Amino acid sequence: MASKSEPQTGAPCHEDVRDSKTLVETYPVIKDSDPPSLSDQFPEGGLAAWTTVLGSFLVQFCGYGYATSFGVYQDFYTQYYLTNQTSSAISWIGSFNMFLLTAVGIVSGSLYDRGYFYHLMIAGSLLQSFSLFMLSLSKPDQYYQIFLAQGLGSGIAAGLMFVPSTAVVAHYFRRKRTLVLTFVASGSSLGATIHPIMLNNLLNGPLGFSNGVRASAGLVSVLLLIACLCMRTRLDPPTTPVNYIGAARKCIHDVPFVLMIAGAFLFQLGFYYPMFFLQLDSIKHGLSTTFSFYSLVILNAANCVGRVTSGFIAAFTGVPNLTIAATIACGVLNLGFIGLSNLASATVLGVIYGYFAGIFIGSWVSLMADLTPDLSELGARMGICFCLSGDLSFILGTPISGALLTSNYIWWIPALFSGVIALAGSMMYILMRLMLLKRRSKERSAQLEVLESHP
C-alpha cells in the first residue's frame, strides 16, 4: 500500500494540471510507477530563495514604489517648480514614467527569458541612480530637463528591473508563490509610503529641491546595490528561448487571458487618479498643509496592508474572485472622491481606497501566473500583459484626468471619469472569471476521461 504522502498509481496531481494536453504530457500513464509532483521541483524556501525575495522587494521599493510617489512631485511642480505648465502636462511626466516601467517589460521580459537577468538588474540600477541624480540638476520651469530625467530615464530604468525581479521569484516557489509575490508587491507600497514622507520634508524643507532629490537618489542607490547582491537565479534559461510571437498567438487564443488584459487596461485608466492627485486635491480643498503632505502616506500605508493581506485572503477566495472584488471597490471609491471636502472624507477615502488598491496590485501578478500554463513563458506573458494593459492606461489615464480637471480645478469631472472607467474594467474581470470557470469545467471532464481510460 502506498504511503499517504505518495499519490496513487497513475493519478495526476490535479492542482498542477491546466488542460488535458498538459495532463497527458506531464503525467504519462506508466503502470506500477508513481508520477512526480511538480511542487517537488521548487525548493519553497532556503537562503537563496529568501535573499532573492528580499532583493525583489527592494527593487519594487525603489522602482514602482518611487514611481507611484509622483503625487508629491505633481503637487510641488504645480505650485512651485513648473508653474508655467498645466496639471495635465505635469502629469505626463509621471504617467510616461509608469508607461515605460511596463513598456520596457516587453524587452526586459524577453532578455530575462534568454538568461540576461544580472545584466538587466545592474544596468537598471545604474540608470535609476544616474537619472535621479540628473533630476536634482534640473532647473525651475525647465520642463524638458525634468521630463528627460524623471519621465524617460527613470522610467526605462524601472522597466529594465520590474519584470525580471518579479519573475525570478517563480524559480523558487510554487505552492507559496501567491503569498510570496504579495510580499514582494508590498515593497512598492512601502516605498510609496516612505518616499512621500522623505520627499515632502526634503523638497519643502531647508534642503530644497536639488539637495532633497540627491538625498533621495542616494537612498535609492544604496538599496538597489543591496538588491543586486541579494538576488540569484536558480534555473538555467531554456535552450530554445521563448518565441514572443508564438506566446502572443497563444495569448490571443486564451480568452480569459485576453479578458484580463482588457479589464486591466480599462481599470487602470482610472486606478492612478487618487495616487497622483490626492495631495493636490487636499490642498485645493483648504485642508492643512501638514495633512495634505501625509495624505499620500495614509493612502499608501493602507495600500501596503492591502498587498500583504491579499495573499492570505486569496487562499480562501481565489485570486480571480479577489481581483473582481478589489476592482469594483476601487471604482466605487473613485466616484466617492467627488464628495471629498474635509479632513474626515479625505482620510476615509484614502484609507479604504489604498487598501483595495493594494489588494488589486498584490493579486495582479499572481493572476497572470495562474493564467499561464507554461511557466517558461511567464516572463513573456508578463511583458505582453504589462505592455498591452498597463502601458496605454498609464500614459492616457492621468493626463486625461489632468485635462478634465482644468486650470479651474473642477474635481468632480475627473473623479467621475475615473470611477466609471474603473467599473467598466471590473466588468471585464467578471467576464474573465465566467470564461475561466467554463474552461476549467471542460478540463475536469477531460481529466476524468483520461483517468477512466487508464485505470
Side-chain angles (χ1 to χ4, degrees), residues 215-253:
S216 177
L219 173 65
V220 169
S221 300
V222 170
L223 293 179
L224 287 177
L225 174 61
I226 295 172
C228 288
L229 295 175
C230 285
M231 289 184 289
R232 292 290 182 272
T233 58
R234 185 179 73 89
L235 304 175
D236 294 328
T239 53
T240 303
V242 175
N243 185 335
Y244 262 57
I245 297 178
R249 287 175 179 170
K250 288 183 182 179
C251 291
I252 292 173
H253 294 91

Side-chain angles (χ1 to χ4, degrees), residues 98-107 163 244-245 247-254 257-269 364 368 379-397 429:
M98 296 294 293
F99 163 76
L100 289 175
L101 189 150
T102 53
V104 177
I106 281 285
V107 178
V163 170
Y244 262 57
I245 297 178
R249 287 175 179 170
K250 288 183 182 179
C251 291
I252 292 173
H253 294 91
D254 189 339
F257 196 84
V258 171
L259 290 171
M260 181 195 69
I261 292 175
F265 167 71
L266 291 173
F267 175 73
Q268 290 180 97
L269 282 174
W364 194 28
M368 277 185 272
R381 285 213 174 196
M382 287 177 67
I384 292 169
C385 184
F386 286 141
C387 180
L388 295 180
S389 63
D391 291 355
L392 293 177
S393 59
F394 290 150
I395 204 167
L396 294 176
Y429 277 114

Side-chain angles (χ1 to χ4, degrees), residues 46-343:
L47 180 61
W50 291 116
T51 54
T52 298
V53 170
L54 174 62
S56 182
F57 176 91
L58 293 176
V59 170
Q60 302 303 312
F61 182 95
C62 298
Y64 197 94
Y66 202 94
T68 51
S69 302
F70 185 76
V72 176
Y73 285 104
Q74 177 82 30
D75 176 36
F76 185 81
Y77 292 155
T78 301
Q79 295 198 82
Y80 307 111
Y81 217 68
L82 292 175
T83 55
N84 61 339
Q85 300 293 330
T86 65
S87 294
S88 180
I90 292 171
S91 67
W92 272 98
I93 300 171
S95 63
F96 194 69
N97 181 294
M98 296 294 293
F99 163 76
L100 289 175
L101 189 150
T102 53
V104 177
I106 281 285
V107 178
S108 62
S110 176
L111 292 174
Y112 165 79
D113 288 334
R114 286 167 169 76
Y116 291 97
F117 173 77
Y118 298 108
H119 305 78
L120 291 166
M121 297 311 304
I122 293 172
S125 298
L126 291 175
L127 182 57
Q128 177 76 325
S129 179
F130 174 76
S131 298
L132 293 180
F133 278 110
M134 290 303 296
L135 176 62
S136 70
L137 301 177
S138 301
K139 303 300 180 183
D141 294 324
Q142 298 299 310
Y143 181 84
Y144 78 95
Q145 294 179 359
I146 295 175
F147 187 89
L148 289 175
Q150 190 170 16
L152 181 64
S154 181
I156 293 174
L160 290 175
M161 297 183 289
F162 183 62
V163 170
S165 66
T166 305
V168 73
V169 176
H171 282 204
Y172 295 93
F173 300 94
R174 183 180 183 85
R175 182 169 46 84
K176 301 178 182 177
R177 186 184 301 147
T178 298
L179 186 61
V180 172
L181 285 175
T182 57
F183 171 76
V184 169
S186 69
S188 57
S189 57
L190 181 62
T193 303
I194 301 299
H195 291 308
I197 297 175
M198 184 177 183
L199 290 169
N200 270 318
N201 285 280
L202 292 174
L203 301 183
N204 298 282
L207 288 181
F209 179 81
S210 296
N211 289 326
V213 174
R214 287 188 193 110
S216 177
L219 173 65
V220 169
S221 300
V222 170
L223 293 179
L224 287 177
L225 174 61
I226 295 172
C228 288
L229 295 175
C230 285
M231 289 184 289
R232 292 290 182 272
T233 58
R234 185 179 73 89
L235 304 175
D236 294 328
T239 53
T240 303
V242 175
N243 185 335
Y244 262 57
I245 297 178
R249 287 175 179 170
K250 288 183 182 179
C251 291
I252 292 173
H253 294 91
D254 189 339
V255 177
F257 196 84
V258 171
L259 290 171
M260 181 195 69
I261 292 175
F265 167 71
L266 291 173
F267 175 73
Q268 290 180 97
L269 282 174
F271 179 65
Y272 289 96
Y273 167 71
M275 300 180 189
F276 274 44
F277 290 97
L278 178 58
Q279 182 168 318
L280 182 62
D281 194 352
S282 300
I283 288 176
K284 293 300 180 181
H285 275 92
L287 304 186
S288 68
T289 302
T290 301
F291 172 80
S292 299
F293 282 176
Y294 284 91
S295 59
L296 279 179
V297 175
I298 293 171
L299 187 152
N300 288 315
N303 189 292
C304 185
V305 176
R307 295 193 193 201
V308 172
T309 58
S310 65
F312 297 98
I313 300 173
F316 298 96
T317 64
V319 176
N321 293 334
L322 185 60
T323 303
I324 291 169
T327 53
I328 292 175
C330 288
V332 172
L333 289 165
N334 267 345
L335 295 175
F337 276 93
I338 296 173
L340 189 151
S341 59
N342 53 41
L343 188 145

Side-chain angles (χ1 to χ4, degrees), residues 26-45:
T26 306
Y27 297 109
V29 179
I30 303 175
K31 293 184 178 181
D32 301 324
S33 64
D34 291 330
S37 172
L38 287 181
S39 61
D40 293 339
Q41 300 174 9
F42 297 85
E44 302 291 344

